Amino acid sequence: MNGSDSRHEADRLRAMLMGALDGELTPAEQAELNDLLASDPELQSEMERFARVKEVTENMKLRKAPEETWDAYWNSVYSRLERGIAWILVSIGAIVVGSYGAWFGIRDLLADADLPWFLKGSILALIVGLVMLLVSVIRHRIRVSRTDPYKDIKR
């Protein structure tokens, strides 16, 4: 048997051990495992280790966190949620106001009857896209400037 086959067999045996602990083996698989356990003391000790681990994890109970921890957690969640909603509203407002202002800046160009409709739509899309990009970049720069570890380093 080469290394790959032996590793595959070891993985199969481990899966059978886990299946036996969880009661998921068929009667034929359980009989095969019992024969292997009877003939291999190393496999039997591994089965015992897995059984102890399962027993410990089943009897484990998580400690309850103190009330102060929960209060801090919920305050943090509310703060992040409020800030997230605020940034969304500020971004939408800046996009609308910026697009509106840019629209009035070029409306004479768009009022030209000789200009095709797809060009007018493209110009509008360009304006809205540029305003959105500008708001996004400004927002990103503000966010990064607060957490940038290199902001005080001078070249």
Side-chain angles (χ1 to χ4, degrees):
M1 215 187 299
N2 64 26
S4 175
D5 288 340
S6 64
R7 186 176 338 161
H8 179 67
E9 183 62 22
D11 290 343
R12 189 179 82 77
L13 285 175
R14 263 196 203 93
M16 286 179 69
L17 292 175
M18 294 296 171
L21 288 173
D22 294 335
E24 297 173 347
L25 295 183
T26 64
E29 290 172 330
Q30 186 65 50
E32 178 187 356
L33 181 62
N34 290 341
D35 291 343
L36 290 169
L37 288 170
S39 66
D40 188 352
E42 189 176 316
L43 187 63
Q44 193 172 16
S45 69
E46 189 168 357
M47 176 71 162
E48 290 167 2
R49 282 194 308 268
F50 283 155
R52 282 195 304 270
V53 168
K54 181 179 180 184
E55 180 183 344
V56 167
T57 55
E58 283 178 342
N59 295 328
M60 239 191 234
K61 292 201 178 8
L62 295 175
R63 275 187 314 163
K64 283 194 158 204
E67 273 308 306
E68 300 84 34
T69 304
W70 283 111
D71 292 341
Y73 169 77
W74 285 115
N75 285 336
S76 171
V77 168
Y78 291 138
S79 295
R80 284 195 314 248
L81 185 63
E82 285 172 346
R83 273 180 263 154
I85 291 171
W87 271 115
I88 289 170
L89 293 174
V90 165
S91 297
I92 290 171
I95 289 167
V96 169
V97 168
S99 297
Y100 185 76
W103 172 262
F104 275 101
I106 63 162
R107 73 178 167 186
D108 291 335
L109 175 67
L110 295 176
D112 184 3
D114 294 334
L115 204 59
W117 64 269
F118 65 87
L119 194 53
K120 290 178 183 180
S122 299
I123 291 171
L124 181 61
L126 178 67
I127 291 169
V128 172
L130 286 173
V131 170
M132 288 177 73
L133 188 59
L134 178 67
V135 168
S136 175
V137 167
I138 291 171
R139 182 175 167 263
H140 178 73
R141 296 292 290 175
I142 290 170
R143 173 177 269 171
V144 168
S145 69
R146 285 184 284 167
T147 60
D148 185 12
Y150 303 108
K151 67 181 173 189
D152 294 329
I153 295 177
K154 295 183 176 149
R155 292 182 188 183

